């Protein structure tokens, strides 16, 4: 599964599920860049088109910079780096070597995702409305560790938003 590696303190990985990933400041995006006013509400999209991956600027005010050049639309290659506001991403069309499980979406429909005990604990806390910081404090782990677990949960399930993760926790009986 293709992914974006974000240059942030947690080296966040964003799996590109379903051939499309949106980036922007608004919560409806797959990758939400809050607090950076240089980022438009709907800034850019990475999507597959006829077997090739493309980066497209969604008419943002401050643009998208691919390998240092401002682009409106451009194909992506392994290792390409692009910047949106203050965030930089590296593109990889291959499977994420750091993922803990392969793409098993067909199996998940029957058996549920293969989550570790710690990932289930985190999912239960998300279901209860806990923030990343509150999860960190409740489980006595670092904030970057919480985010790493959330990234793995998202990679395994394809679910990106907290309401979706909450529904999954309820379906798995973790809301008790």
């Amino acid at each position: 599964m293709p992914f974006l590696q974000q240059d942030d303190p947690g080296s966040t990985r964003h799996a590109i599920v379903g051939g499309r990933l949106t980036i922007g400041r608004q919560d409806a995006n797959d990758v939400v860049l809050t607090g950076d006013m240089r980022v438009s509400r709907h800034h850019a999209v990475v999507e597959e088109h006829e077997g090739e991956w493309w980066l497209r600027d969604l008419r943002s005010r401050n643009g998208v910079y691919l390998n240092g050049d401002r682009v409106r639309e451009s194909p992506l290659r392994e290792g390409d780096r692009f910047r949106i506001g203050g965030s930089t991403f590296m593109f990889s069309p291959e499977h994420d070597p750091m993922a803990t499980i392969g793409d098993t979406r067909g199996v998940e429909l029957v058996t549920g995702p293969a989550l570790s005990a710690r990932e289930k604990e985190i999912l239960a806390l998300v279901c209860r409305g806990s923030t990343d910081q509150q999860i960190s404090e409740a489980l006595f782990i670092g904030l970057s560790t919480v985010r790493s677990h959330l990234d793995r949960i998202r990679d395994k399930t394809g679910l990106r938003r907290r309401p979706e993760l909450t529904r999954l926790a309820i379906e798995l009986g973790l809301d008790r």
Side-chain angles (χ1 to χ4, degrees):
M1 177 179 314
F3 68 96
L4 298 179
Q5 173 78 41
Q6 187 172 351
D7 285 346
D8 62 357
S11 293
T12 308
R13 295 176 193 275
H14 305 280
I16 304 173
V17 179
R20 187 169 204 264
L21 181 126
T22 58
I23 305 168
R25 208 175 63 237
Q26 193 170 59
D27 288 339
N29 290 287
D30 299 311
V31 177
V32 180
L33 302 174
T34 57
D36 187 344
M37 295 311 291
R38 296 171 291 181
V39 177
S40 297
R41 289 176 291 165
H42 299 283
H43 200 103
V45 64
V46 174
E47 58 191 345
E48 187 177 23
H49 181 68
E50 296 181 3
E52 190 171 35
W53 289 97
W54 286 79
L55 171 65
R56 187 165 41 98
D57 185 343
L58 298 175
R59 292 188 271 169
S60 66
R61 179 179 211 145
N62 293 309
V64 175
Y65 292 83
L66 176 64
N67 299 322
D69 296 322
R70 187 168 180 165
V71 297
R72 291 244 184 242
E73 181 175 76
S74 179
L76 286 171
R77 304 287 178 253
E78 173 76 36
D80 276 349
R81 298 172 70 80
F82 63 91
R83 183 174 50 84
I84 295 176
S87 299
T88 303
F89 301 87
M90 183 189 72
F91 173 74
S92 178
E94 301 300 322
H95 177 71
D96 181 354
M98 300 299 287
T100 56
I101 183 171
D103 184 6
T104 58
R105 283 175 284 172
V107 176
E108 289 172 14
L109 296 174
V110 177
T111 62
L115 299 176
S116 70
R118 178 62 84 176
E119 290 166 345
K120 288 179 182 178
E121 287 178 298
I122 289 172
L123 196 56
L125 290 168
V126 166
C127 182
R128 294 183 189 113
S130 298
T131 65
D132 290 0
Q133 183 65 42
Q134 290 168 329
I135 294 169
S136 171
E137 292 167 2
L139 298 177
F140 303 103
I141 58 177
L143 189 56
S144 63
T145 303
V146 170
R147 291 182 177 148
S148 176
H149 281 296
L150 285 170
D151 286 339
R152 280 196 293 279
I153 292 168
R154 289 175 178 135
D155 287 345
K156 289 178 180 183
T157 64
L159 304 176
R160 306 211 54 82
R161 295 178 191 87
R162 286 194 182 247
E164 295 170 329
L165 294 172
T166 298
R167 280 192 294 279
L168 175 62
I170 292 169
E171 288 172 12
L172 296 175
L174 302 174
D175 59 327
R176 297 180 184 113

